[in-house]
Amino acid sequence: MGKDKLRKFRENLTFDCFIQPEFDEVFRCDHPLKGHWRSDFFHNDNPIVLELGCGKGEYTVALAERDPSRNFIGIDIKGARMWRGAKTATDRRMPNVGFLRTRIEFINGLFAEGEVDEIWITFPDPQLKSRRAKKRLTSPLFLGYYARILSPDGWINLKTDSKHLFGYTNEVVRRYGLPCEVSNADIYGTGYADEVLSVKTAYEKRFLEMGLPITYTRFSLAGRHEFPWFDWEEDEKAEKDNEEARQG
């Protein structure tokens, strides 16, 4: 491991906004902050918004700057990347920002029922191979995780360059009859992107330079908790996401 990564790992632990649970604090058990994020971490009673797979935390920080009336937590497993967002939030003294280094699969041990008001998923790995469909952050498996922590009227936002993940998520919404407020296949081309949607991560800037459209889906689970598995016929197609354009 490089010295710079080690330095960032060490510095992360000095940031008040950075939480890194031990494995035995979240695996099949409840973390002390579960149900107490507002009172014990943010020291307020404001709504909580999660960014899953936050990477460098650009979206987490940008959303928090735009809306100080809500609390934002970026979640990822890669601590060296998260260092950037945690350092920015620390340097800017942003009291409504937190970063949580953990696997998304462990979130039910970290947040109580209804404790989260909104979820953002920005440019996740689309997991194009059909055998990895369960790893998609909008798969039935993950929706089950979200259903346990998301308030009944909470929303899930997916922003992605992946046409395949966009299509898959819309099929998930259709299969389960979930309320869908927005399903836009090109937020910039259609002029739909507002100030929040126009926040660009490093990944998004690269995709836009490649001429790839950015999609956006906003949907709710509407209090549903059961999401039976299904196989999507589009997963059997050989060509997904226009790989040649991505490599260009």
Side-chain angles (χ1 to χ4, degrees):
M1 185 180 295
K3 290 183 178 180
D4 192 51
K5 275 192 175 182
L6 290 173
R7 176 187 63 80
K8 290 177 179 178
F9 287 149
R10 289 193 298 268
E11 191 170 1
N12 279 340
L13 300 179
T14 70
F15 298 141
D16 290 338
C17 66
F18 192 88
I19 300 293
Q20 181 172 282
E22 297 294 333
F23 180 78
D24 58 6
E25 289 183 295
V26 292
F27 184 67
R28 296 180 180 175
C29 63
D30 293 340
H31 188 271
L33 280 172
K34 180 176 180 177
H36 305 286
W37 284 91
R38 291 182 179 87
S39 60
D40 295 358
F41 185 80
F42 290 110
H43 307 292
N44 61 47
D45 197 34
N46 295 336
I48 292 176
V49 181
L50 306 184
E51 184 193 4
L52 304 180
C54 68
K56 295 181 180 180
E58 300 110 314
Y59 235 89
T60 299
V61 170
L63 290 173
E65 283 184 321
R66 285 162 174 75
D67 190 354
S69 68
R70 297 199 292 174
N71 303 314
F72 295 85
I73 303 174
I75 300 178
D76 208 307
I77 192 59
K78 297 185 177 179
R81 291 183 183 176
M82 298 171 72
W83 169 87
R84 178 65 273 166
K87 181 168 176 54
T88 298
T90 299
D91 291 346
R92 297 180 184 177
R93 299 181 180 180
M94 301 177 67
N96 63 329
V97 177
F99 285 95
L100 175 59
R101 188 187 180 200
T102 189
R103 295 190 179 279
I104 296 170
E105 291 89 339
F106 294 160
I107 58 174
N108 291 148
L110 284 150
F111 297 93
E113 182 177 352
E115 189 172 15
V116 174
D117 296 273
E118 190 167 6
I119 291 173
W120 279 84
I121 306 170
T122 52
F123 301 95
D125 185 335
Q127 306 289 356
L128 295 179
K129 294 181 180 179
S130 56
R131 61 183 173 82
R132 295 186 62 83
K134 288 185 178 180
K135 296 286 187 179
R136 294 171 188 159
L137 294 187
T138 54
S139 74
L141 176 64
F142 279 90
L143 294 191
Y145 296 149
Y146 309 153
R148 297 185 185 100
I149 64 173
L150 193 62
S151 64
D153 58 350
W155 292 94
I156 299 173
N157 304 273
L158 171 69
K159 191 179 179 188
T160 178
D161 63 297
S162 170
K163 292 181 180 180
H164 194 72
L165 182 59
F166 174 72
Y168 174 79
T169 302
N170 278 269
E171 179 61 16
V172 165
V173 167
R174 186 191 72 80
R175 291 262 181 156
Y176 302 129
L178 303 177
C180 186
E181 186 177 84
V182 182
S183 176
N184 191 303
D186 185 359
I187 59 172
Y188 296 111
T190 60
Y192 184 81
D194 57 11
E195 181 184 8
V196 170
L197 286 176
S198 294
V199 173
K200 297 177 179 64
T201 67
Y203 282 117
E204 181 174 355
K205 291 175 183 177
R206 178 155 56 90
F207 297 142
L208 288 171
E209 289 173 358
M210 296 167 67
L212 299 174
I214 305 302
T215 72
Y216 175 61
T217 309
R218 178 176 170 86
F219 65 99
S220 170
L221 302 183
R224 180 169 181 154
H225 285 75
E226 300 297 327
F227 303 92
W229 183 258
F230 70 91
D231 293 315
W232 190 39
E233 57 275 11
E234 294 294 316
D235 273 333
E236 302 307 315
K237 292 185 177 180
E239 210 289 328
K240 300 172 184 175
D241 275 359
N242 194 5
E243 290 93 342
E244 290 186 4
R246 289 171 173 274
Q247 294 170 4

